[in-house]
Amino acid sequence: ASSHPAYARGRATLEQAYDRYTPRINEGGKFYKSELYGAISKSNWKAIQTATAEPPKKSKEDRALKDGGAAKRAALAGEFSNARVLSAMELYAATFSDSSITPKTKAMKAEVETLREVVDGMNKAAKIALGEESAGGGLFGIGSKKPSTSELSKQVQELYIKGGNAYNAYVFAANDGLPLQLNK
């Protein structure tokens, strides 16, 4: 008889997933509440842009590196970016499902989607404020005026609140019904 490897998924991988993803999720949450909050309250557009930035695309130089430049690019991801925090949140949410997607996973992934919109919105507002991107609108961007920095600040503050609520709802959903052994 040939032996086949056993593949664990969903709930069976919860403890490993907890150990693997929650440090990035928790660090992201702490950063969001402290440093990102500070940058937003001071309208520090460069810090907001850096915090929400995605890592650069793979370059020719990266291909020569042993790991394909993955570690170098990962280090350049913003402290509350899709690549660093939201992908970990999404992967952790998936561990609450087995063969079919559970309502818990759906609820957690919906909060991640909201956070993705918040991060993208903050990054775009910072780029507009820094003059690196136009506000768009109209045909070929004609007829749209650049929003003032106070308008952009108000927009980012609203996004921050929306993102904070989504993060809290995600954590609440994640902790709901967790076995006690995962409370570390």
Side-chain angles (χ1 to χ4, degrees):
S2 66
S3 63
H4 296 285
Y7 295 104
R9 62 183 211 205
R11 282 271 192 199
T13 64
L14 189 55
E15 205 159 335
Q16 295 94 321
Y18 182 91
D19 291 339
R20 184 170 186 181
Y21 301 120
T22 57
R24 281 171 40 201
I25 296 168
N26 290 334
E27 286 166 22
K30 285 178 193 154
F31 179 86
Y32 194 88
K33 284 188 281 201
S34 58
E35 293 173 54
L36 186 58
Y37 175 80
I40 290 169
S41 63
K42 293 179 184 122
S43 296
N44 182 342
W45 299 110
K46 194 70 199 156
I48 295 167
Q49 181 188 23
T50 303
T52 57
E54 288 304 304
K57 299 272 184 252
K58 192 172 188 174
S59 68
K60 283 183 181 170
E61 296 83 49
D62 291 333
R63 291 195 182 103
L65 299 171
K66 197 174 192 174
D67 67 350
K72 184 182 87 175
R73 286 192 319 281
L76 296 172
E79 292 294 316
F80 201 85
S81 62
N82 186 27
R84 188 179 301 251
V85 181
L86 304 185
S87 59
M89 292 175 82
E90 196 162 53
L91 289 165
Y92 185 60
T95 61
F96 293 99
S97 291
D98 285 314
S99 55
S100 62
I101 299 170
T102 64
K104 180 173 185 158
T105 293
K106 285 180 185 169
M108 290 169 72
K109 284 192 171 195
E111 300 305 341
V112 173
E113 236 3 86
T114 299
L115 279 163
R116 203 164 266 137
E117 291 166 17
V118 165
V119 166
D120 291 346
M122 286 180 178
N123 191 271
K124 184 169 177 64
K127 285 179 177 176
I128 292 168
L130 293 167
E132 294 176 16
E133 204 171 289
S134 69
L139 186 62
F140 306 115
I142 299 167
S144 67
K145 66 178 184 67
K146 181 183 171 192
S148 69
T149 49
S150 66
E151 288 171 324
L152 288 169
S153 290
K154 186 177 186 306
Q155 181 186 348
V156 169
Q157 287 166 359
E158 288 168 0
L159 285 168
Y160 179 83
I161 292 166
K162 183 178 178 182
N165 290 337
Y167 183 88
N168 290 339
Y170 175 93
V171 170
F172 181 80
N175 287 335
D176 186 38
L178 268 190
L180 288 176
Q181 76 222 33
L182 291 180
N183 286 341
K184 294 186 178 179

